[in-house]
Amino acid sequence: MGHVITPSRQPRPLGKSGILVSPIAWGTWRLAGDDVAGVRAMIDAALGAGITLFDTADIYGIGTPGGFGSAEALFGRALAEEPALRGRMVIATKGGITPPVPYDSSAEHLAHAVDASLARMGIDVIDLYQIHRRDLLTHPEEVAGALTRMAEAGKVRAIGVSNYSPAERDALQAFLDLPIVSTQPEFSALHTAPLWDGTLDQAMAADMAVLAWSPLAGGRLAAGDHPARLLLAEHGARFDADASAAALSWIMAHPARIIPIVGSQNPARIAAAADAWRVGWTRAEWYAVLQAGMGERLP
């Protein structure tokens, strides 16, 4: 059968930040409306599943009646009802996407954005502040200056990047004394680019945490008839877990110790993410899912 790789449920360092985080995160990109009790139920489900890393962004809520910033604000309202929750969480957010521009990472914008995020969530410090997408019109030295100032002011504890190529990360790091502690690519069995484009290799070499967004490929690995999804469902069933839990476990089996960001708004589905820790993988099983996701055999 070969060696079985089973993801560890132990907290791990968030890169070089000194902050410990859970191996699974919960993301709020679908958070909308004004149901604070509902959000609290999701938070409780996440904490109950051992999730301590909560990932949001100022752009979340765009396209809903609440608009830009509304996901952070709704999350903040849930925290305000029970301030003790804050101490059990590592809160990550992002800035830099500014519809319809679409991107702005100028020093002026980032200085405003971090203050606005803190105010909306009603917190004193952001544990991880990430540049959401690269602004092609801002020199990385200017971005680095803005990030350094927010860290020196005590507004953020650590900094990361999202949707950055390895070269873009290197250019930013060149102007920073602080380490970039994390990178957040899209990654799943149906979006495997980080395996090949250097993102995961760089993260391992530089001791950066990897947060994976859309780990269920927009739901295609949770339901439907994609060959990779069927393989995940079959494999998960052996461990009394569903395809979603198997998909998370598949991501976490990689030696970069990738942290998938669960996006469900259903407390029961959030709680079920903990099933991922039961699912083990031989190399043959893991590579079979990869090849099914790619739709081609490896050489």
Side-chain angles (χ1 to χ4, degrees):
M1 183 168 175
H3 173 66
V4 176
I5 303 165
T6 303
S8 169
R9 65 169 62 233
Q10 293 303 309
R12 73 276 311 273
L14 183 68
K16 295 175 178 175
S17 69
I19 301 169
L20 288 178
V21 295
S22 54
I24 298 175
W26 180 58
T28 67
W29 65 81
R30 297 191 187 109
L31 219 55
D34 57 6
D35 181 8
V36 178
V39 175
R40 176 61 195 276
M42 298 176 213
I43 290 172
D44 287 345
L47 291 169
I51 294 171
T52 60
L53 179 56
F54 291 74
D55 182 73
T56 188
D58 58 11
I59 183 68
Y60 296 163
I62 199 84
T64 72
F68 187 96
S70 59
E72 284 184 333
L74 183 54
F75 186 66
R77 286 171 63 194
L79 293 183
E81 287 198 351
E82 188 172 343
L85 287 172
R86 174 66 180 101
R88 301 172 63 190
M89 299 174 167
V90 175
I91 295 178
T93 194
K94 312 175 205 69
I97 299 182
T98 52
V101 173
Y103 311 127
D104 188 347
S105 288
S106 65
E108 181 183 18
H109 175 76
L110 291 178
H112 165 77
V114 71
D115 286 346
S117 288
L118 286 165
R120 280 190 290 264
M121 290 188 281
I123 58 178
D124 297 325
V125 62
I126 292 162
D127 297 307
L128 175 66
Y129 192 80
Q130 304 153 96
I131 302 298
H132 205 158
R133 286 188 183 271
R134 184 188 172 196
D135 172 14
L136 300 170
L137 294 179
T138 302
H139 194 289
E141 185 173 19
E142 183 177 345
V143 181
L147 292 169
T148 298
R149 285 187 291 276
M150 63 178 75
E152 288 177 344
K155 296 176 181 179
V156 306
R157 294 175 66 194
I159 55 173
V161 293
S162 175
N163 304 297
Y164 262 52
S165 73
E168 290 167 341
R169 176 266 177 196
D170 282 346
L172 180 56
Q173 185 66 72
F175 296 99
L176 281 165
D177 292 328
L178 301 165
I180 296 172
V181 306
S182 66
T183 185
Q184 186 174 150
E186 179 181 1
F187 182 62
S188 71
L190 299 188
H191 188 92
T192 62
L195 290 169
W196 320 107
D197 66 12
T199 298
L200 300 183
D201 300 300
Q202 179 185 64
M204 291 186 286
D207 190 17
M208 293 163 57
V210 181
L211 313 182
W213 65 269
S214 199
L216 302 182
R220 288 188 294 154
L221 292 177
D225 58 2
H226 191 285
R229 186 260 163 192
L230 298 177
L231 207 51
L232 286 165
E234 178 186 335
H235 185 75
R238 293 178 216 154
F239 299 87
D240 194 25
D242 61 15
S244 298
L248 300 178
S249 177
W250 184 87
I251 286 172
M252 293 191 291
H254 189 277
R257 299 210 298 172
I258 302 164
I259 299 170
I261 304 173
V262 173
S264 177
Q265 304 292 285
N266 179 321
R269 298 293 316 142
I270 296 168
D275 293 344
W277 285 304
R278 293 206 298 265
V279 182
W281 298 91
T282 65
R283 277 179 165 75
E285 291 162 347
W286 192 90
Y287 278 111
V289 171
L290 175 62
Q291 292 176 116
M294 295 169 59
E296 58 182 280
R297 294 197 63 77
L298 292 167

